[in-house]
Amino acid sequence: MELEKGSFQLSDLEIRDKLVEKDPMVTRWFFSRKCRPLFVSIIHRVFNYGIDYDEFVNEVYVFLMEDNAHRFRTYDGTGSIFNWMKRTVYRYIIKHEGKLINDEVSMESSLPDQADDCVSIDAESARMDVESMLSLLAQKNERAAYVLRRSMLDEAEPEVIAAELKVKVSNLYNIKARAIALLGEIALGSSIKTQNK
């Protein structure tokens, strides 16, 4: 396994095999980093109430690993593993009528413990990822990017941002909600383009 610029150089089938084997490094990388744009997009599109990302990932992981990773084993390499993941997770959500998190799933993480030599995503790396996504968002909607940058990175109060934009706070919340939805679409598109290269 080769690490290059924080990403694994593995084929989709190799990723599947590592996930089935519960390889801690690949599992953490796959669910915490590679699938994040996809999962964030699904959360924002499907749920009209707050969902904790880690709890969502934990439930999806438990579902995929049931019966000796039976569902993961159904992925045969036809198409991207991310498209397969998207279809599989949506089917699961529809089957459960969009109700998460399942009370039967432990609140403690079911993901394998991360090995000591794993690459960790530190605060600076996460900030750079956010900056990168906001730059893409600014190309489509500068005001949306500005609102998210001020609220997420600068941690400015809503009243301050609303005053800067000369809008009501209630309007700001609507702008922010649309900005988050657009960011999710951009993140999902970016993830799929990266995988298809």
Side-chain angles (χ1 to χ4, degrees):
M1 186 188 318
E2 181 184 340
L3 266 146
E4 185 176 308
K5 295 183 181 176
S7 62
F8 294 97
Q9 301 302 310
L10 297 172
S11 72
D12 285 352
L13 286 175
E14 287 172 324
I15 291 172
R16 180 207 62 189
D17 292 344
K18 293 287 184 185
L19 293 170
V20 167
E21 295 165 10
K22 299 183 181 178
D23 181 286
M25 181 182 284
V26 173
T27 301
R28 288 281 175 185
W29 164 81
F30 184 73
F31 283 99
S32 298
R33 188 158 179 94
K34 280 313 255 187
C35 285
R36 182 173 287 273
L38 171 63
F39 289 164
V40 167
S41 176
I42 289 172
I43 289 168
H44 285 298
R45 285 172 187 248
V46 173
F47 301 103
N48 57 4
Y49 58 94
I51 294 287
D52 179 78
Y53 180 80
D54 292 332
E55 290 177 12
F56 177 83
V57 168
N58 190 52
E59 182 157 339
V60 168
Y61 179 77
V62 168
F63 164 69
L64 294 172
M65 294 302 289
E66 283 176 345
D67 300 324
N68 193 26
H70 166 73
R71 287 180 187 88
F72 266 133
R73 294 174 195 276
T74 64
Y75 173 67
D76 62 2
T78 304
S80 160
I81 193 168
F82 295 94
N83 288 334
W84 175 87
M85 179 72 76
K86 180 180 176 182
R87 287 191 309 273
T88 304
V89 171
Y90 268 120
R91 284 184 193 136
Y92 174 70
I93 291 169
I94 290 166
K95 181 179 177 183
H96 289 83
E97 300 176 348
K99 293 176 184 171
L100 294 178
I101 296 301
N102 188 334
D103 292 336
E104 295 173 7
V105 176
S106 168
M107 296 298 281
E108 293 181 16
S109 176
S110 298
L111 297 177
D113 288 333
Q114 192 170 10
D116 292 337
D117 60 346
C118 286
V119 176
S120 62
I121 306 168
D122 60 14
E124 186 57 34
S125 173
R127 184 182 175 90
M128 288 172 61
D129 287 345
V130 171
E131 284 283 8
S132 174
M133 293 309 299
L134 289 178
S135 294
L136 291 173
L137 177 60
Q139 293 172 12
K140 290 186 175 274
N141 188 322
E142 284 186 30
R143 185 165 80 159
Y146 179 82
V147 167
L148 292 185
R149 181 172 279 109
R150 292 287 286 135
S151 61
M152 292 168 55
L153 298 182
D154 301 340
E155 299 181 8
E157 293 296 324
E159 294 78 12
V160 173
I161 303 169
E164 291 170 354
L165 295 175
K166 298 182 173 125
V167 298
K168 293 179 181 177
V169 174
S170 57
N171 289 347
L172 176 68
Y173 289 125
N174 290 333
I175 294 168
K176 186 175 179 183
R178 287 193 300 270
I180 290 171
L182 182 56
L183 185 65
E185 290 174 17
I186 290 169
L188 179 58
S190 174
S191 173
I192 290 172
K193 282 179 189 171
T194 301
Q195 295 311 311
N196 289 337
K197 282 185 179 177

